[in-house]
Amino acid sequence: MAKYLLLKHYRRNSGPENLVDIPMEEWSPAEIDAHITYMNDFAARLEESGEFVDGQALAPEGTFVRYDGPGRPPVTDGPFAETKDLIAGWMVIDVDSYDRAIALAGELSAAPGKDGKPIHEWLEVRPFYGVPATVNE
């Protein structure tokens, strides 16, 4: 088994050409609840199969920080809502293969959004660097 990070990217107007992404702030409370239920049910199913490690949604606000020599590091507001791409959350999975990680990311991308339609959310699939495969006994 190998661990992968599924990094959820929220992009505006990023789906197929005939799909216009509708910002979550324009979804009804019921549509938001359906989306969250889908995500929770997905994670619960992976918990049952032993493939779920951890996951979390992220708030849209954040801060960029970098080292710039001694003293207080420079801080910049971000990420910015007007940008095309925001990181909306993440999930860590522990699966048998890269193909399984890709299949699960594709399924997670189908989470419902406005009017119950799949949001076609982009997910970045990244293996953990230098982390050995899990040993199951």
Side-chain angles (χ1 to χ4, degrees), residues 6-50:
L6 303 182
L7 193 58
K8 297 169 54 56
H9 289 260
Y10 175 72
R11 295 182 177 177
R12 292 187 178 195
N13 300 321
S14 64
E17 289 183 23
N18 63 349
L19 176 72
V20 176
D21 295 337
I22 299 171
M24 190 176 263
E25 57 267 14
E26 294 179 23
W27 299 5
S28 72
E31 290 165 337
I32 292 171
D33 288 346
H35 181 80
I36 291 170
T37 297
Y38 181 97
M39 304 298 281
N40 289 337
D41 290 348
F42 183 85
R45 194 179 86 237
L46 295 185
E47 280 184 285
E48 289 176 17
S49 70

Side-chain angles (χ1 to χ4, degrees), residues 7-136:
L7 193 58
K8 297 169 54 56
H9 289 260
Y10 175 72
R11 295 182 177 177
R12 292 187 178 195
N13 300 321
S14 64
E17 289 183 23
N18 63 349
L19 176 72
V20 176
D21 295 337
I22 299 171
M24 190 176 263
E25 57 267 14
E26 294 179 23
W27 299 5
S28 72
E31 290 165 337
I32 292 171
D33 288 346
H35 181 80
I36 291 170
T37 297
Y38 181 97
M39 304 298 281
N40 289 337
D41 290 348
F42 183 85
R45 194 179 86 237
L46 295 185
E47 280 184 285
E48 289 176 17
S49 70
E51 296 174 306
F52 181 81
V53 176
D54 198 5
Q56 198 65 240
L58 297 173
E61 59 275 341
T63 303
F64 289 108
V65 178
R66 70 171 189 176
Y67 177 76
D68 198 23
R72 185 171 190 266
V75 175
T76 303
D77 291 339
F80 301 100
E82 65 270 12
T83 63
K84 186 176 181 182
D85 193 13
L86 297 172
I87 297 175
W90 53 271
M91 183 178 290
V92 176
I93 58 174
D94 195 1
V95 295
D96 289 330
S97 68
Y98 173 77
D99 289 339
R100 175 68 174 153
I102 295 297
L104 290 173
E107 186 178 335
L108 190 54
S109 175
K114 183 77 174 156
D115 300 324
K117 296 177 182 173
I119 60 174
H120 301 276
E121 183 175 42
W122 285 96
L123 282 102
E124 184 176 349
V125 178
R126 307 238 352 230
F128 277 56
Y129 180 75
V131 176
T134 303
V135 177
N136 291 329

